[in-house]
Amino acid sequence: MEFEEDSSFKPDATFTNTRPKWADDSTATNCKRCRVGFSLLNRRHHCRRCGLVFCQKCSSNAVKIPQLNYNFVPVRVCDDCHRIVTL
C-alpha cells in the first residue's frame, strides 16, 4: 500500500524532540491565531513549541517542555500548544 506525502505536514515538536525553527519576524505581520496586526504596542511573540508568531493575548501561557530541553524555566507557548502540552 502506498501513501501520498503531505507537504503541509509540520512535525510535532514534542514528538521529534527538536526545537522548531522560528518563523521569520519580517514575514509575520499578523498573529497566526487571531489575525490582529502587529505594531509598536502589539508585539510579536514566538511560541517555543511550534515556532509560530502570536500576539500577547494568544501566547500568554508558559510551561516547562522537557522534551525540548526547557526543563527548569517555563517558556512562552501559544494557546493551542498549551492545550496540547497540558493534556
Side-chain angles (χ1 to χ4, degrees):
M1 177 180 265
E2 291 186 33
F3 295 97
E4 286 186 33
E5 188 171 322
D6 183 2
S7 61
S8 66
F9 175 74
K10 182 172 182 175
D12 182 2
T14 303
F15 177 74
T16 61
N17 291 335
T18 59
R19 292 184 183 183
K21 183 179 186 314
W22 281 13
D24 189 10
D25 282 345
S26 64
T27 61
T29 56
N30 298 338
C31 173
K32 197 67 169 173
R33 187 163 192 250
C34 72
R35 305 286 186 222
V36 70
F38 295 120
S39 65
L40 288 175
L41 299 177
N42 188 31
R43 297 183 52 214
R44 294 170 178 86
H45 299 282
H46 284 88
C47 173
R48 301 313 192 265
R49 184 175 178 275
C50 68
L52 299 176
V53 181
F54 299 90
C55 67
Q56 168 66 30
K57 181 182 170 197
C58 295
S59 63
S60 61
N61 297 296
V63 294
K64 294 179 184 177
I65 310 174
Q67 298 89 341
L68 301 179
N69 290 324
Y70 294 119
N71 298 324
F72 304 108
V73 179
V75 292
R76 179 182 296 272
V77 292
C78 67
D79 293 347
D80 294 331
C81 286
H82 184 259
R83 263 192 300 281
I84 291 168
V85 170
T86 57
L87 283 179

